Amino acid sequence: MSFTACSEEVIQPLDKDEVYPLQFPSYFPDMTFDKTSNPVTKNGVELGRKLFYEGKLSRNNTISCGFCHIQENAFTHHGHNVSHGVDDRIGIRNAPPIQNMIFLKRYMWDGVIHNLNEQPIIPITDVNEMDSSMPEAITKLKEDPKYKKLFAAAYGDENITGERVLKALSQFMASLISAESKYDSFRQGKVKLTTEESQGMTLFQQKCASCHSGELFTDESFRNTGMYYNSQFKDPGRYRVTLDQNDWMKFRVPSLRNVEYTAPYMHDGRFYTLEAVLNFYSDGVEDNPNLDPELKQNGHIGIAMNSQEKQFIVAFLKTLSDKNFISNPKFSE
């Protein structure tokens, strides 16, 4: 049984807009995406896909969503520790992967966005990313005849509005479901894990699953993991949203699905390999008043792991890689 999120590709607008099937395994969490206020349709997803790769959403027509969210890297910005935007401006955070968004309750590293329909507003208007505005983007889209047809196919008329742009982008992001990894095949009883992968899964459950829990491998909490404050980017994490000192340097626990493809890691892209991440947790965690309790137990700071255990955990993490997701042409430009 296949759980691919996409169905047949829509190139020409359809007379009747069909519902887009959002398919995923039964063991996945409940969907949080509100399909009532934003029904996911084939034409809506197709419009969203065009907009996702559309440079006109940026001030100088050069930066699209897909510029920082590259499919072959599970929609992250591989090779850049933080996002790059118009005029080669540099942001302050690593571009997170776009996958399984319809199951999440919060978005961004600091959780400032709670509704997927509103998420694209941040990069479109951020001065270091797309540095545009919704009125400016709409003006440019209205000048393109192809978009009149695409909006008419998705919404019933040619009216191009900010709400429709955001909802179409949200529909495309909703379609980006990753559920065909080796781990999923194992979960469904189709394959067995190797001895190394199996041992890695056991170690992962013992040492990592208190934060990276569930089938998305995140509990979506905000945690201070003992990383030093990066004075270059001046990013205190969740504190930027709440102004609560208790949230200083707390960042959202990321999903580990497709983690093999999403380097560099952490909110500022400071680590370029999974081994480096595990080395940090075993030997690099800095104690501080906000350090998460999971990282200071029994008088030990960090997570006790030897080199072989790390090797096994990395082997398990690679079972979360979904090759079809990063190569599916229906998600591409």
Side-chain angles (χ1 to χ4, degrees):
M1 182 177 181
S2 172
F3 294 99
T4 306
C6 280
S7 55
E8 65 177 359
E9 187 175 14
V10 180
I11 300 299
Q12 297 298 327
L14 301 178
D15 293 331
K16 180 181 178 182
D17 199 0
E18 301 176 45
V19 173
Y20 187 99
L22 298 174
Q23 300 174 352
F24 49 89
S26 59
Y27 51 83
F28 262 43
D30 293 335
M31 188 164 59
T32 59
F33 183 79
D34 184 4
K35 293 193 294 181
T36 302
S37 64
N38 188 15
V40 182
T41 64
K42 290 184 177 181
N43 288 346
V45 170
E46 177 64 9
L47 170 59
R49 180 167 75 114
K50 299 292 187 187
L51 290 169
F52 187 84
Y53 293 103
E54 179 56 75
K56 290 186 178 76
L57 297 186
S58 68
R59 173 178 55 76
N60 61 5
N61 303 326
T62 62
I63 305 296
S64 68
C65 303
F67 179 81
C68 284
H69 297 281
I70 302 166
Q71 182 182 6
E72 66 187 41
N73 305 119
F75 294 96
T76 60
H77 204 182
H78 183 71
H80 295 280
N81 58 340
V82 295
S83 60
H84 286 218
V86 297
D87 303 327
D88 284 329
R89 295 175 187 169
I90 297 176
I92 65 170
R93 289 178 178 167
N94 177 250
I98 300 179
Q99 56 184 1
N100 300 324
M101 305 285 273
I102 57 171
F103 307 105
L104 302 179
K105 299 180 180 67
R106 292 171 174 151
Y107 306 95
M108 316 295 281
W109 280 103
D110 55 20
V112 67
I113 299 294
H114 295 247
N115 187 327
L116 188 59
N117 297 332
E118 300 169 1
Q119 193 281 328
I121 276 288
I122 300 291
I124 289 173
T125 59
D126 189 281
V127 67
N128 292 318
E129 295 187 52
M130 301 168 88
D131 191 24
S132 187
S133 67
M134 195 54 68
E136 181 181 346
I138 291 170
T139 297
K140 288 186 280 189
L141 294 176
K142 285 181 176 179
E143 295 172 351
D144 191 331
K146 77 177 179 184
Y147 277 112
K148 292 181 179 180
K149 295 179 181 178
L150 288 169
F151 274 85
Y155 294 110
D157 60 62
E158 296 182 354
N159 192 24
I160 299 176
T161 67
E163 180 183 14
R164 287 180 170 185
V165 168
L166 294 175
K167 284 188 172 181
L169 284 167
S170 182
Q171 287 185 52
F172 175 67
M173 289 189 288
S175 76
L176 300 178
I177 299 174
S178 178
E180 292 187 290
S181 64
K182 181 176 183 179
Y183 168 80
D184 291 297
S185 295
F186 164 76
R187 188 75 168 74
Q188 296 158 25
K190 297 176 182 178
V191 301
K192 293 183 178 180
L193 300 182
T194 66
T195 300
E196 192 175 60
E197 291 165 348
S198 182
Q199 289 178 299
M201 182 170 69
T202 299
L203 288 165
F204 179 89
Q205 291 168 344
Q206 294 171 352
K207 298 177 181 293
C208 313
S210 57
C211 300
H212 295 283
S213 59
E215 297 303 328
L216 299 186
F217 298 88
T218 173
D219 65 359
E220 291 197 77
S221 62
F222 300 91
R223 299 178 185 254
N224 181 311
T225 57
M227 289 183 281
Y228 64 83
Y229 176 70
N230 192 324
S231 59
Q232 177 185 356
F233 302 126
K234 297 180 174 59
D235 184 4
R238 180 75 171 159
Y239 175 82
R240 295 181 76 211
V241 177
T242 67
L243 299 181
D244 183 343
Q245 195 63 38
N246 292 321
D247 287 330
W248 182 265
M249 286 299 289
K250 286 185 178 180
F251 293 89
R252 191 170 164 277
V253 174
S255 169
L256 296 183
R257 280 184 171 269
N258 290 310
V259 70
E260 179 183 5
Y261 305 135
T262 61
Y265 304 107
M266 305 306 200
H267 67 280
D268 55 4
R270 65 180 66 190
F271 300 127
Y272 272 71
T273 67
L274 291 171
E275 289 78 7
V277 173
L278 294 181
N279 289 340
F280 163 76
Y281 279 116
S282 66
D283 300 303
V285 173
E286 295 182 359
D287 194 9
N288 67 72
N290 276 1
L291 182 64
D292 195 270
E294 293 290 340
L295 294 173
K296 49 180 177 181
Q297 296 189 26
N298 302 318
H300 179 80
I301 302 299
I303 302 173
M305 293 177 284
N306 61 41
S307 58
Q308 186 175 60
E309 288 175 327
K310 293 173 188 176
Q311 178 183 330
F312 291 158
I313 290 173
V314 169
F316 170 67
L317 291 175
K318 289 182 178 181
T319 71
L320 305 180
S321 301
D322 182 349
K323 292 182 180 178
N324 184 62
F325 179 71
I326 66 167
S327 61
N328 193 328
K330 294 171 184 177
F331 296 153
S332 64
E333 186 171 1

